[in-house]
PDB file of all heavy atoms in Angstrom:
ATOM      1  N   TYR A  27     -59.520 -22.247 -37.784  1.00 98.00           N
ATOM      2  CA  TYR A  27     -59.710 -21.831 -39.175  1.00 98.00           C
ATOM      3  C   TYR A  27     -58.647 -20.796 -39.502  1.00 98.00           C
ATOM      4  O   TYR A  27     -58.463 -19.835 -38.759  1.00 98.00           O
ATOM      5  CB  TYR A  27     -61.120 -21.246 -39.369  1.00 98.00           C
ATOM      6  CG  TYR A  27     -62.178 -22.292 -39.141  1.00 98.00           C
ATOM      7  CD1 TYR A  27     -62.592 -22.615 -37.852  1.00 98.00           C
ATOM      8  CD2 TYR A  27     -62.722 -22.995 -40.200  1.00 98.00           C
ATOM      9  CE1 TYR A  27     -63.542 -23.605 -37.632  1.00 98.00           C
ATOM     10  CE2 TYR A  27     -63.671 -23.983 -39.991  1.00 98.00           C
ATOM     11  CZ  TYR A  27     -64.065 -24.276 -38.703  1.00 98.00           C
ATOM     12  OH  TYR A  27     -64.996 -25.258 -38.488  1.00 98.00           O
ATOM     13  N   PHE A  28     -57.965 -21.004 -40.633  1.00 98.00           N
ATOM     14  CA  PHE A  28     -56.824 -20.176 -41.018  1.00 98.00           C
ATOM     15  C   PHE A  28     -57.079 -19.461 -42.338  1.00 98.00           C
ATOM     16  O   PHE A  28     -57.514 -20.084 -43.316  1.00 98.00           O
ATOM     17  CB  PHE A  28     -55.571 -21.045 -41.195  1.00 98.00           C
ATOM     18  CG  PHE A  28     -55.148 -21.757 -39.949  1.00 98.00           C
ATOM     19  CD1 PHE A  28     -55.614 -23.040 -39.679  1.00 98.00           C
ATOM     20  CD2 PHE A  28     -54.279 -21.166 -39.045  1.00 98.00           C
ATOM     21  CE1 PHE A  28     -55.233 -23.711 -38.533  1.00 98.00           C
ATOM     22  CE2 PHE A  28     -53.887 -21.840 -37.892  1.00 98.00           C
ATOM     23  CZ  PHE A  28     -54.357 -23.110 -37.636  1.00 98.00           C
ATOM     24  N   TRP A  29     -56.759 -18.181 -42.362  1.00 98.00           N
ATOM     25  CA  TRP A  29     -56.755 -17.378 -43.579  1.00 98.00           C
ATOM     26  C   TRP A  29     -55.294 -17.046 -43.856  1.00 98.00           C
ATOM     27  O   TRP A  29     -54.650 -16.339 -43.079  1.00 98.00           O
ATOM     28  CB  TRP A  29     -57.563 -16.100 -43.393  1.00 98.00           C
ATOM     29  CG  TRP A  29     -59.040 -16.312 -43.357  1.00 98.00           C
ATOM     30  CD1 TRP A  29     -59.913 -16.101 -44.394  1.00 98.00           C
ATOM     31  CD2 TRP A  29     -59.841 -16.765 -42.254  1.00 98.00           C
ATOM     32  NE1 TRP A  29     -61.200 -16.401 -43.989  1.00 98.00           N
ATOM     33  CE2 TRP A  29     -61.186 -16.806 -42.678  1.00 98.00           C
ATOM     34  CE3 TRP A  29     -59.554 -17.146 -40.938  1.00 98.00           C
ATOM     35  CZ2 TRP A  29     -62.229 -17.202 -41.853  1.00 98.00           C
ATOM     36  CZ3 TRP A  29     -60.585 -17.543 -40.115  1.00 98.00           C
ATOM     37  CH2 TRP A  29     -61.900 -17.573 -40.578  1.00 98.00           C
ATOM     38  N   LEU A  30     -54.772 -17.573 -44.949  1.00 98.00           N
ATOM     39  CA  LEU A  30     -53.366 -17.365 -45.273  1.00 98.00           C
ATOM     40  C   LEU A  30     -53.150 -16.017 -45.948  1.00 98.00           C
ATOM     41  O   LEU A  30     -54.069 -15.452 -46.555  1.00 98.00           O
ATOM     42  CB  LEU A  30     -52.861 -18.477 -46.196  1.00 98.00           C
ATOM     43  CG  LEU A  30     -52.941 -19.901 -45.654  1.00 98.00           C
ATOM     44  CD1 LEU A  30     -52.301 -20.872 -46.630  1.00 98.00           C
ATOM     45  CD2 LEU A  30     -52.307 -20.027 -44.283  1.00 98.00           C
ATOM     46  N   SER A  75     -64.635 -18.721 -46.787  1.00 96.00           N
ATOM     47  CA  SER A  75     -63.575 -17.732 -46.996  1.00 96.00           C
ATOM     48  C   SER A  75     -62.214 -18.148 -46.436  1.00 96.00           C
ATOM     49  O   SER A  75     -61.198 -17.579 -46.819  1.00 96.00           O
ATOM     50  CB  SER A  75     -63.982 -16.388 -46.383  1.00 96.00           C
ATOM     51  OG  SER A  75     -64.034 -16.467 -44.967  1.00 96.00           O
ATOM     52  N   PHE A  76     -62.176 -19.124 -45.550  1.00 98.00           N
ATOM     53  CA  PHE A  76     -60.903 -19.561 -44.956  1.00 98.00           C
ATOM     54  C   PHE A  76     -60.135 -20.424 -45.953  1.00 98.00           C
ATOM     55  O   PHE A  76     -60.693 -20.947 -46.913  1.00 98.00           O
ATOM     56  CB  PHE A  76     -61.143 -20.317 -43.642  1.00 98.00           C
ATOM     57  CG  PHE A  76     -61.968 -21.569 -43.796  1.00 98.00           C
ATOM     58  CD1 PHE A  76     -61.362 -22.797 -43.978  1.00 98.00           C
ATOM     59  CD2 PHE A  76     -63.355 -21.511 -43.774  1.00 98.00           C
ATOM     60  CE1 PHE A  76     -62.114 -23.949 -44.132  1.00 98.00           C
ATOM     61  CE2 PHE A  76     -64.116 -22.659 -43.917  1.00 98.00           C
ATOM     62  CZ  PHE A  76     -63.493 -23.880 -44.112  1.00 98.00           C
ATOM     63  N   PHE A 111     -50.026 -16.974 -41.937  1.00 97.00           N
ATOM     64  CA  PHE A 111     -51.456 -16.644 -41.907  1.00 97.00           C
ATOM     65  C   PHE A 111     -51.695 -15.248 -41.355  1.00 97.00           C
ATOM     66  O   PHE A 111     -50.959 -14.751 -40.513  1.00 97.00           O
ATOM     67  CB  PHE A 111     -52.287 -17.700 -41.174  1.00 97.00           C
ATOM     68  CG  PHE A 111     -51.869 -18.045 -39.780  1.00 97.00           C
ATOM     69  CD1 PHE A 111     -52.356 -17.329 -38.696  1.00 97.00           C
ATOM     70  CD2 PHE A 111     -51.024 -19.113 -39.542  1.00 97.00           C
ATOM     71  CE1 PHE A 111     -51.995 -17.671 -37.409  1.00 97.00           C
ATOM     72  CE2 PHE A 111     -50.653 -19.460 -38.255  1.00 97.00           C
ATOM     73  CZ  PHE A 111     -51.143 -18.733 -37.184  1.00 97.00           C
ATOM     74  N   GLU A 112     -52.744 -14.622 -41.889  1.00 97.00           N
ATOM     75  CA  GLU A 112     -53.095 -13.282 -41.434  1.00 97.00           C
ATOM     76  C   GLU A 112     -54.184 -13.309 -40.371  1.00 97.00           C
ATOM     77  O   GLU A 112     -54.376 -12.344 -39.642  1.00 97.00           O
ATOM     78  CB  GLU A 112     -53.533 -12.391 -42.599  1.00 97.00           C
ATOM     79  CG  GLU A 112     -54.726 -12.886 -43.365  1.00 97.00           C
ATOM     80  CD  GLU A 112     -55.015 -12.058 -44.611  1.00 97.00           C
ATOM     81  OE1 GLU A 112     -54.078 -11.448 -45.157  1.00 97.00           O
ATOM     82  OE2 GLU A 112     -56.181 -12.041 -45.032  1.00 97.00           O
ATOM     83  N   ARG A 113     -54.884 -14.443 -40.298  1.00 98.00           N
ATOM     84  CA  ARG A 113     -55.971 -14.557 -39.323  1.00 98.00           C
ATOM     85  C   ARG A 113     -56.168 -16.018 -38.958  1.00 98.00           C
ATOM     86  O   ARG A 113     -56.043 -16.898 -39.807  1.00 98.00           O
ATOM     87  CB  ARG A 113     -57.248 -14.008 -39.950  1.00 98.00           C
ATOM     88  CG  ARG A 113     -58.459 -14.075 -39.058  1.00 98.00           C
ATOM     89  CD  ARG A 113     -59.664 -13.441 -39.739  1.00 98.00           C
ATOM     90  NE  ARG A 113     -60.834 -13.583 -38.894  1.00 98.00           N
ATOM     91  CZ  ARG A 113     -62.050 -13.773 -39.339  1.00 98.00           C
ATOM     92  NH1 ARG A 113     -62.293 -13.835 -40.630  1.00 98.00           N
ATOM     93  NH2 ARG A 113     -63.056 -13.906 -38.504  1.00 98.00           N
TER      94      ARG A 113
END
Side-chain angles (χ1 to χ4, degrees):
Y27 295 82
F28 298 92
W29 287 260
L30 300 185
S75 68
F76 61 93
F111 54 88
E112 60 187 26
R113 179 177 177 215

